[in-house]
Amino acid sequence: MLSRVANSIYWLGRYLERAENYARFMDVNFNLMLDLPKDQKEQWLPLVQATGDNNEFQKLYEGVNKNDIINYMAFDLRNPNSIISCVSKARENAREVRENVIKETWEKLNELYHYVNSMANSMDWIEGDPIPFFTGVKEHIMLINGIGYATVARSEGWYFRLLGTFLERADKTSRIVDVKYHIILPTPTLVGTPIDYLHWSALLKSVSGFNTYRRMYGTLEASKVVDFLILNRKFPRSVFYSILEAEDCLRNISGNNSRGFTNEAEKSIGELRSRLEFTSVEEIIEFGLHQYMDDLQIKIIDISNKVNDAFFQVKNNFAYQINIEE
Amino acid sequence: MEYELGNFFDEMYESSGEIRPQYLQLSGAIGSVKPERISQLQFSANKTQVNMGMTFNVYHDNQGLEKILHLDIIPRILANEEWKILEKGLKQRIEALNLFINDVYNDQKSLKDKIVPEDLILGSRDFLKPCIGLKPPKGVWCHITGTDLVKNNDGNYYILEDNLRCPSGVSYMLGSRDIIKRIYPNLFNSMGVMPVSDYPLRLLEMLQYISNKEHPVVGVLTPGIYNSAYYEHSYLALQMGVELVSGVDLITRDDKVYMQTTKGLQQIDVLYRRIDDTFLDPTAFNPTSMLGVPGIFNAYKKGNIALANAPGTGVADDKAVYAYVPKLIKYFLGEDAILNNVPTYLARDQEDRKFILDNIEDLVVKETNSAGGYGMMIGPKATKEDHAKFRTLVKENPTNYIAQPTLSLSTVPTWIEDHLEPRHVDLRPYILYGKEIEVIPGALTRVALTKGSLVVNSSQGGGSKDTWVLY
């Protein structure tokens, strides 16, 4: 597979996952706000804080207005991670490798692109109810992923797309956990109040994990929610599960079906996977939840860089020809 | 609203108002549904085009620049007898042009025998000196052609342009067919419309044929995502199941061309190149090109990669060379041309020039080296100022201009808002030249959507129609 093509497919996976997660962030915050008692102030800033784009947001907007945050996270092209930016870039990447994308995937992605743009242009969401939009984005992307699961051949390209999807998901789930850190004080022992209960439920709902959690863990407790979101081995949006899947993708790409590693990306992700595999939630909380998430995110960036070095580098033929002529 | 037949050949109606036999079923089908329903279908056809990403124009991260080529849902229909003549005529023309290109870069017999003036060819900027002496694989130069024809009010077809370089639009022929099939699911079967969907397969077979290897690696070479025909490049690569590559993906070593893959270098054997030949290799042609692949021309000369179309074909589709094609057919094949040429006056010729200057109001004046409907003046439609301007241009630079009588393009009923109106069309069939010459039974019909307009180019308000060739 062409290095450039692999690169684009990988980013197609990442951007779609990012857009979906942003839609999930927004969707869940709306639900949360609707449930809050009257005297509780709506909290929108934690969303921006958790995505790591707070500094950029503060440069562009004054104050912390709900509509500003919705606009910044969904429709603002100046925010490289907004839904509209991610969807546009996902489509751009798909367009660049159109010959490697099946018709149905391309057409649904195109629809999504036009849907997001028409919503951004219409500004209807300010007056009306923006929730259907976020649900719409999420469902569009789940449909695109579904088309992939049902029809795309399990060859190299598929694993690059999945690799992008799962690395992105691992990062975003860790940030969802971080939202909680930004909403209330980072004391993991603060449990039991209805507000706390609402917050944790909201987090679980944002990853469509509320029912699964209840079935697996029963009562709502901070440490159990953290265990579920970070370390659970069965839940497909947990950090551990995502890293495990991403590692499988790398091994499928290189054809490494033995132990150990064959490139730096495999080495790095294997280290992270085993760290998560042999950690308990108590250790994480003792270490500091926010700090642990930070470390996790840095490690994922490091893996991404190594993926880039291992597969996506190309030589410039112009420079190459000049060098050999000299 | 009454359908007003002008003083033109209408493809659906005889001048008496009778419906031509090949349109009877379609006309019945259209007549049996309410206009609102047809408008609805027209709307959904255009929406499908958007969703398919069937767009053209310069791509930029800005919606306004991504446009669809409006597809009119009323098809243009060709009876089989009519098609047979076109098919035969096109094969003849391509065969002769291919022999001519080969001759120009090798023996130059046709120049020595003064069939075509030597200076017209050797002085042309499309005559590529690096190609002299080249013998492309299997003797084929113009593998893919998209010839433009029009039907005049005498009911006869005339060749407008040969388009031997990188003719585009075939993806619209294929994409439009997919959409139109959904609109008339019953008619296709009952009328017997010949399929075009095997074009990508035939294209791939042709590309594999021109390589010496048994299982060649084939790719489509695109200038990239910002090219106006990018949709087509990616579409064809997807449909053929081959790689779509751009210059950045390729590297040349030891006169071989390699793709840079996740598993290292992989040699590529055939490229359907959609980069203009002069931009193909800065070390051989235009040194300022940043699009191409330095070193690819040497690899081609050594026979390590096959290119379609071969570099250098442009020399035969110059608008001045066009005038000589009937003579070339006679010279190379010993046959009379089956398809008409439009009488062409060459401004480089003194007598012709005088004729052009005296009759400019009635003529179409064209620059010999431009396309897309630019650099052209339609005498009867132009202002006095334009006439004067083109007189000066012709006088100053006669070798750059030719003139032709104004043809009256035929019309086809076209859906305008809520009713049918006649609109002028041209016809672009596609011809593949591999083991043999094949004409795909279909075409891109371009339609001038503006009332009375004769300019069908997409850049100037043109749309398209699906073209049905009947069994």
Side-chain angles (χ1 to χ4, degrees):
Chain A
M1 162 161 274
L2 290 176
S3 297
R4 175 183 56 85
V5 170
N7 192 10
S8 285
I9 291 181
Y10 167 83
W11 279 103
L12 168 65
R14 280 203 81 144
Y15 281 125
L16 279 180
E17 184 65 24
R18 192 172 297 174
E20 184 190 327
N21 275 287
Y22 271 56
R24 287 175 176 280
F25 284 174
M26 305 302 286
D27 194 18
V28 86
N29 219 43
F30 271 105
N31 284 321
L32 181 59
M33 295 313 141
L34 296 177
D35 284 341
L36 283 180
K38 266 189 192 160
D39 56 341
Q40 277 276 318
K41 262 186 151 176
E42 292 196 2
Q43 294 198 49
W44 287 90
L45 196 60
L47 293 185
V48 186
Q49 289 168 331
T51 56
D53 292 327
N54 193 22
N55 285 343
E56 290 307 307
F57 174 77
Q58 304 286 357
K59 276 185 215 157
L60 296 170
Y61 294 84
E62 287 171 25
V64 191
N65 170 307
K66 169 182 154 189
N67 278 344
D68 283 349
I69 291 194
I70 296 174
N71 189 54
Y72 181 70
M73 290 194 54
F75 303 115
D76 196 337
L77 280 165
R78 295 173 302 177
N79 175 5
N81 299 318
S82 65
I83 291 175
I84 196 169
S85 295
C86 287
V87 168
S88 301
K89 283 189 275 191
R91 177 173 181 267
E92 188 87 1
N93 276 289
R95 229 170 89 89
E96 279 171 18
V97 296
R98 183 62 192 86
E99 76 290 355
N100 275 286
V101 178
I102 63 168
K103 184 172 181 282
E104 286 80 1
T105 302
W106 168 245
E107 288 184 10
K108 289 297 158 201
L109 180 54
N110 232 340
E111 259 180 48
L112 171 63
Y113 170 78
H114 292 301
Y115 172 62
V116 173
N117 272 288
S118 69
M119 191 57 77
N121 292 335
S122 78
M123 300 297 257
D124 283 349
W125 59 271
I126 292 181
E127 297 297 318
D129 175 9
I131 295 177
F133 170 72
F134 297 111
T135 314
V137 168
K138 196 171 78 182
E139 288 178 357
H140 256 101
I141 294 171
M142 292 178 90
L143 179 58
I144 292 166
N145 288 340
I147 291 168
Y149 275 104
T151 55
V152 173
R154 269 44 174 179
S155 49
E156 212 182 338
W158 170 256
Y159 292 113
F160 272 111
R161 180 162 150 200
L162 225 53
L163 175 64
T165 304
F166 279 110
L167 282 180
E168 185 68 25
R169 187 178 295 172
D171 174 80
K172 286 297 165 290
T173 300
S174 77
R175 290 179 190 276
I176 284 173
V177 175
D178 241 7
V179 173
K180 178 65 176 146
Y181 166 85
H182 289 290
I183 289 183
I184 53 162
L185 291 173
T187 48
T189 50
L190 188 76
V191 281
T193 66
I195 298 292
D196 192 42
Y197 175 89
L198 276 177
H199 285 161
W200 286 115
S201 325
L203 293 199
L204 289 168
K205 283 176 186 161
S206 78
V207 294
S208 306
F210 186 67
N211 301 116
T212 312
Y213 172 85
R214 289 303 283 263
R215 189 163 284 276
M216 288 181 157
Y217 293 79
T219 56
L220 260 176
E221 283 172 36
S223 64
K224 287 183 181 174
V225 176
V226 172
D227 185 73
F228 178 70
L229 291 175
I230 308 292
L231 300 176
N232 192 283
R233 289 161 194 224
K234 310 271 187 213
F235 181 60
R237 304 195 74 85
S238 81
V239 176
F240 176 69
Y241 186 96
S242 303
I243 292 297
L244 200 59
E245 284 286 323
E247 187 186 17
D248 272 358
C249 290
L250 279 171
R251 288 168 160 269
N252 271 305
I253 290 163
S254 68
N256 174 14
N257 45 23
S258 142
R259 290 163 185 275
F261 60 92
T262 59
N263 59 50
E264 285 300 310
E266 272 176 36
K267 177 168 185 280
S268 190
I269 202 165
E271 283 164 8
L272 177 59
R273 187 255 309 140
S274 93
R275 197 170 116 197
L276 291 166
E277 198 170 3
F278 298 99
T279 300
S280 69
V281 70
E282 289 75 23
E283 285 172 303
I284 292 177
I285 289 171
E286 197 180 329
F287 184 82
L289 188 55
H290 176 64
Q291 189 57 44
Y292 199 90
M293 294 305 106
D294 251 10
D295 284 4
L296 207 51
Q297 287 152 19
I298 289 166
K299 188 73 182 166
I300 293 169
I301 291 169
D302 174 56
I303 294 167
S304 310
N305 291 338
K306 283 173 175 158
V307 167
N308 187 54
D309 293 343
F311 301 108
F312 305 147
Q313 297 298 320
V314 290
K315 280 206 180 74
N316 180 324
N317 193 30
F318 285 83
Y320 180 76
Q321 293 302 324
I322 291 162
N323 285 339
I324 55 172
E325 269 164 34
E326 276 168 4
Chain B
M1 195 181 286
E2 193 74 13
Y3 186 82
E4 282 175 54
L5 286 172
N7 191 21
F8 307 100
F9 185 95
D10 190 84
E11 303 273 345
M12 180 145 120
Y13 292 99
E14 312 252 10
S15 50
S16 63
E18 296 275 299
I19 293 172
R20 296 180 198 275
Q22 68 267 31
Y23 278 91
L24 276 172
Q25 280 201 46
L26 175 74
S27 169
I30 294 170
S32 68
V33 284
K34 287 191 177 143
E36 298 83 58
R37 176 72 188 135
I38 301 177
S39 296
Q40 226 172 45
L41 289 169
Q42 179 64 60
F43 176 80
S44 73
N46 294 135
K47 180 120 197 284
T48 310
Q49 286 185 286
V50 174
N51 286 344
M52 284 168 73
M54 204 171 148
T55 52
F56 76 95
N57 216 328
V58 181
Y59 184 80
H60 194 266
D61 208 354
N62 176 334
Q63 250 187 324
L65 290 169
E66 217 175 316
K67 288 180 189 158
I68 57 165
L69 178 66
H70 175 92
L71 170 65
D72 180 71
I73 62 166
I74 312 297
R76 188 242 195 102
I77 306 174
L78 300 179
N80 194 269
E81 312 80 68
E82 188 178 358
W83 177 254
K84 284 238 172 73
I85 298 167
L86 276 175
E87 189 180 23
K88 210 170 153 201
L90 288 166
K91 282 184 180 176
Q92 178 197 50
R93 197 168 170 105
I94 297 302
E95 188 181 357
L97 284 168
N98 190 65
L99 288 169
F100 172 60
I101 299 166
N102 197 54
D103 183 54
V104 160
Y105 289 113
N106 286 283
D107 305 337
Q108 302 192 338
K109 271 174 20 202
S110 58
L111 308 185
K112 285 168 199 150
D113 289 344
K114 303 206 181 326
I115 308 301
V116 181
E118 198 178 63
D119 64 317
L120 176 64
I121 299 300
L122 303 186
S124 161
R125 67 173 179 210
D126 293 312
F127 176 70
L128 303 182
K129 291 199 176 67
C131 296
I132 294 171
L134 266 180
K135 302 247 184 250
K138 318 274 159 95
V140 183
W141 291 76
C142 45
H143 309 86
I144 301 134
T145 312
T147 310
D148 285 341
L149 300 106
V150 296
K151 196 187 267 184
N152 196 10
N153 54 3
D154 58 8
N156 289 318
Y157 282 105
Y158 287 83
I159 301 270
L160 267 193
E161 282 178 25
D162 289 297
N163 298 322
L164 302 166
R165 303 164 210 229
C166 290
S168 61
V170 75
S171 60
Y172 291 96
M173 172 182 88
L174 299 168
S176 302
R177 177 60 61 85
D178 281 347
I179 295 171
I180 295 297
K181 259 186 178 166
R182 280 183 240 166
I183 291 178
Y184 306 99
N186 302 321
L187 280 187
F188 271 86
N189 213 305
S190 65
M191 288 180 62
V193 181
M194 292 176 82
V196 291
S197 54
D198 59 348
Y199 176 82
L201 195 69
R202 295 201 206 185
L203 178 62
L204 180 61
E205 278 170 2
M206 181 277 285
L207 293 169
Q208 288 168 336
Y209 170 76
I210 60 173
S211 168
N212 301 321
K213 287 195 182 166
E214 202 177 335
H215 300 291
V217 177
V218 176
V220 176
L221 177 63
T222 175
I225 192 164
Y226 296 102
N227 186 272
S228 60
Y230 179 78
Y231 166 75
E232 176 152 310
H233 308 158
S234 62
Y235 180 89
L236 290 173
L238 175 74
Q239 296 298 325
M240 289 194 284
V242 302
E243 295 292 353
L244 178 67
V245 297
S246 62
V248 298
D249 298 316
L250 301 176
I251 195 149
T252 43
R253 279 185 188 175
D254 308 324
D255 296 326
K256 289 182 182 128
V257 184
Y258 296 90
M259 300 189 286
Q260 306 190 66
T261 78
T262 53
K263 308 237 157 89
L265 298 183
Q266 186 190 4
Q267 196 183 345
I268 189 158
D269 307 305
V270 185
L271 276 176
Y272 175 18
R273 50 108 185 159
R274 293 294 297 257
I275 294 182
D276 206 49
D277 43 20
T278 51
F279 286 91
L280 198 53
D281 184 344
T283 63
F285 307 109
N286 183 350
T288 62
S289 168
M290 293 304 286
L291 298 173
V293 187
I296 196 173
F297 190 72
N298 268 338
Y300 175 69
K301 273 205 303 203
K302 293 251 167 89
N304 289 333
I305 189 163
L307 296 172
N309 288 350
T313 52
V315 71
D317 82 3
D318 178 291
K319 288 188 174 72
V321 176
Y322 164 90
Y324 296 93
V325 177
K327 281 190 192 167
L328 290 169
I329 293 174
K330 189 84 191 164
Y331 179 75
F332 283 107
L333 304 177
E335 299 169 5
D336 290 325
I338 297 166
L339 294 170
N340 303 306
N341 242 40
V342 185
T344 302
Y345 305 96
L346 305 174
R348 68 205 312 276
D349 178 287
Q350 203 177 345
E351 248 175 69
D352 280 8
R353 183 162 65 244
K354 184 170 183 315
F355 181 85
I356 295 170
L357 294 173
D358 290 350
N359 297 282
I360 208 158
E361 305 84 358
D362 302 321
L363 297 170
V364 179
V365 183
K366 294 175 178 173
E367 235 178 282
T368 52
N369 258 318
S370 68
Y374 293 105
M376 142 173 157
M377 184 210 65
I378 302 174
K381 302 244 167 197
T383 60
K384 282 213 164 76
E385 287 75 33
D386 282 335
H387 295 153
K389 183 179 138 201
F390 269 78
R391 273 200 192 92
T392 318
L393 286 171
V394 168
K395 273 189 239 170
E396 280 173 356
N397 213 338
T399 55
N400 268 3
Y401 290 91
I402 58 126
Q404 295 168 334
T406 318
L407 294 178
S408 55
L409 276 57
S410 62
T411 54
V412 180
T414 301
W415 196 252
I416 306 293
E417 287 170 30
D418 57 359
H419 61 281
L420 293 174
E421 282 185 28
R423 287 293 183 268
H424 294 288
V425 295
D426 77 347
L427 183 74
R428 180 180 286 182
Y430 293 91
I431 305 104
L432 293 177
Y433 194 165
K435 206 170 197 164
E436 50 200 27
I437 303 176
E438 300 176 287
V439 186
I440 310 304
L444 174 68
T445 288
R446 296 186 297 176
V447 52
L449 294 169
T450 313
K451 192 171 189 169
S453 166
L454 296 171
V455 185
V456 296
N457 301 84
S458 57
S459 48
Q460 302 189 39
S464 74
K465 279 173 171 292
D466 191 21
T467 310
W468 297 2
V469 175
L470 302 185
Y471 277 110

